């Protein structure tokens, strides 16, 4: 059974204080690992897909990296508008369904 | 941009009622999904559909059914609503996974069963 564990559950940062969110996973043959951002009262918004160990993707202050067992979402010099819940999900080869973690709730304080 | 539209943002129903949640996507996606999201439990897959009139059970299908008569529309049905079905319901759609396509989500329906 595929499993995704995200840590920490919650993270509070000062504006400009860089940090990383962790996503540990077990999957029988990784097809893709996805990162999403979810704002309160809204659906998850797609950020990145990573396919293989060593891959990196960047978007503004966010950078996602992937190893064979975990993924990190690095946030550089965050701003208050980066406050949201960040979700990680994995998809196994040969399957349409995706398994989600429970998310990290990020709060960035001005 | 992909648009996934859920018919209601908030819904209040009574125990025992039959409840319909509707979802429409405008990107000609083959796959459509229904999840529920609860604090501490994350997103859990209820049902998904990979083609018109095709469906597969997800992780928590009990008490739910689905209908997909047209490619763009996927309905979730609560046959006899119960209080433990109070939750946020999210619909998503995607192209088939062979292309490593991500799922795109609607903004959810917050359903309360009284």
């Amino acid at each position: 059974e595929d499993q995704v564990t995200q840590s920490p559950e919650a993270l509070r940062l000062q504006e400009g204080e860089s940090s990383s969110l962790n996503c540990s996973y077990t999957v029988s043959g990784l097809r893709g690992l996805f990162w999403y951002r979810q704002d309160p009262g809204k659906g998850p918004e797609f950020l990145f897909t990573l396919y293989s160990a060593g891959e990196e993707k960047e978007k503004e202050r966010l950078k996602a990296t992937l190893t064979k067992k975990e993924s990190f979402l690095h946030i550089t010099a965050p701003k208050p508008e980066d406050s949201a819940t960040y979700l990680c999900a994995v998809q196994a080869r040969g399957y349409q369904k995706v398994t989600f973690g429970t998310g990290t709730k990020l709060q960035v304080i001005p | 941009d992909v648009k996934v539209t859920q018919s209601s943002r908030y819904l209040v129903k009574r125990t025992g009622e039959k409840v319909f949640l509707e979802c429409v996507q405008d990107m000609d996606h083959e796959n459509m999904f229904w999840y529920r999201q609860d604090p501490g439990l994350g997103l859990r897959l209820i049902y998904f559909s990979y083609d018109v009139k095709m469906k597969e059970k997800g992780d928590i299908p009990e008490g739910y059914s689905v209908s997909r008569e047209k490619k763009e529309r996927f309905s979730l049905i609560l046959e006899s609503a119960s209080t433990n079905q109070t939750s946020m319901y999210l619909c998503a759609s995607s192209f088939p996974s062979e292309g490593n396509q991500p799922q795109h989500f609607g903004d959810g329906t917050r359903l309360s069963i009284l």
Side-chain angles (χ1 to χ4, degrees):
Chain A
E1 185 181 326
D2 303 338
Q3 287 194 323
V4 178
T5 303
Q6 292 188 246
S7 61
E9 287 185 17
L11 183 62
R12 196 173 182 197
L13 299 174
Q14 292 290 328
E15 183 173 1
E17 179 187 1
S18 301
S19 187
S20 297
L21 313 183
N22 177 263
C23 171
S24 297
Y25 66 92
T26 55
V27 64
S28 54
L30 181 70
R31 177 187 295 282
L33 183 141
F34 307 94
W35 281 100
Y36 288 84
R37 169 194 170 123
Q38 187 175 22
D39 293 302
K42 307 207 88 176
E45 176 189 346
F46 170 70
L47 293 173
F48 304 111
T49 307
L50 301 168
Y51 304 115
S52 57
E55 189 175 3
E56 300 182 352
K57 294 270 180 78
E58 282 188 70
K59 181 180 180 179
E60 296 180 359
R61 294 175 293 282
L62 301 177
K63 179 179 175 181
T65 61
L66 181 66
T67 72
K68 288 187 177 179
K69 293 183 178 180
E70 56 192 352
S71 176
F72 292 93
L73 186 65
H74 307 278
I75 303 175
T76 302
K79 298 183 177 182
E81 53 262 41
D82 295 321
S83 297
T85 296
Y86 291 86
L87 300 172
C88 172
V90 296
Q91 185 176 32
R93 287 197 201 99
Y95 292 91
Q96 301 292 334
K97 63 174 281 188
V98 167
T99 301
F100 282 83
T102 53
T104 293
K105 185 174 182 179
L106 174 66
Q107 183 183 16
V108 182
I109 302 162
Chain B
D1 267 2
V2 177
K3 185 75 173 175
V4 178
T5 303
Q6 296 185 229
S7 54
S8 306
R9 292 298 307 274
Y10 301 93
L11 208 53
V12 180
K13 296 291 182 181
R14 297 270 177 203
T15 304
E17 279 192 70
K18 191 168 187 175
V19 181
F20 294 85
L21 302 183
E22 306 286 344
C23 175
V24 177
Q25 50 95 4
D26 67 355
M27 282 302 292
D28 204 33
H29 285 162
E30 283 79 5
N31 293 347
M32 295 189 76
F33 305 82
W34 275 107
Y35 294 88
R36 63 178 284 176
Q37 185 174 33
D38 300 288
L41 296 177
L43 274 81
R44 292 180 291 167
L45 182 64
I46 304 171
Y47 266 98
F48 70 98
S49 168
Y50 50 90
D51 201 350
V52 175
K53 296 191 187 293
M54 305 303 288
K55 62 184 180 186
E56 282 200 23
K57 293 180 180 179
D59 299 317
I60 51 164
E62 296 78 20
Y64 303 94
S65 63
V66 291
S67 172
R68 192 161 179 207
E69 297 296 320
K70 293 185 177 181
K71 190 175 187 179
E72 67 271 18
R73 187 179 297 270
F74 193 34
S75 302
L76 179 70
I77 304 155
L78 284 67
E79 297 291 343
S80 177
S82 65
T83 55
N84 62 12
Q85 292 179 310
T86 291
S87 186
M88 169 71 100
Y89 288 87
L90 289 162
C91 174
S93 70
S94 74
F95 288 116
S97 62
E98 290 77 15
N100 293 317
Q101 298 293 327
Q103 295 178 20
H104 296 272
F105 285 83
D107 277 340
T109 296
R110 187 163 292 282
L111 175 64
S112 296
I113 307 296
L114 304 179

